[in-house]
């Protein structure tokens, strides 16, 4: 879902800024648990200098995860 939303953002004319970079970094961090070499290669091509496999897992923020609408 995250990748689809990122692509939709760019297709809608969004600019790759700080929020987009953070989304890419989070995506590579999650990918590193399944494909560490691939995520590090992609990160290196994007200018990241550290291995994603050795970084901490992203922190969960329940405020961001709240649904805007709840159907009962």
């Amino acid at each position: 879902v995250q990748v689809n939303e990122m692509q939709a953002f760019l297709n809608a004319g969004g600019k790759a800024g700080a929020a987009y970079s953070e989304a890419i970094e989070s995506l590579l961090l999650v990918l590193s648990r399944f494909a560490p070499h691939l995520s590090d290669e992609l990160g290196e091509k994007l200018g990241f200098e550290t291995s994603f496999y050795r970084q901490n897992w992203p922190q969960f923020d329940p405020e961001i995860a709240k649904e805007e609408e709840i159907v009962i």
Side-chain angles (χ1 to χ4, degrees):
V1 173
Q2 182 181 15
V3 176
N4 292 342
E5 291 298 322
M6 292 165 55
Q7 188 62 46
F9 172 76
L10 291 178
N11 290 343
K15 301 289 183 196
Y20 190 79
S21 293
E22 185 177 338
I24 290 287
E25 188 172 353
S26 294
L27 176 65
L28 291 176
L29 188 56
V30 171
L31 178 66
S32 72
R33 300 313 190 239
F34 304 99
H37 300 291
L38 176 63
S39 64
D40 282 347
E41 285 291 324
L42 292 171
E44 185 178 310
K45 292 195 180 289
L46 294 172
F48 294 100
E49 296 179 1
T50 59
S51 172
F52 285 95
Y53 189 74
R54 300 201 183 278
Q55 292 184 15
N56 292 329
W57 195 254
Q59 295 297 313
F60 174 74
D61 185 351
E63 287 298 315
I64 294 174
K66 280 186 179 177
E67 292 286 335
E68 292 180 19
E69 293 183 20
I70 299 174
V71 177
I72 299 178

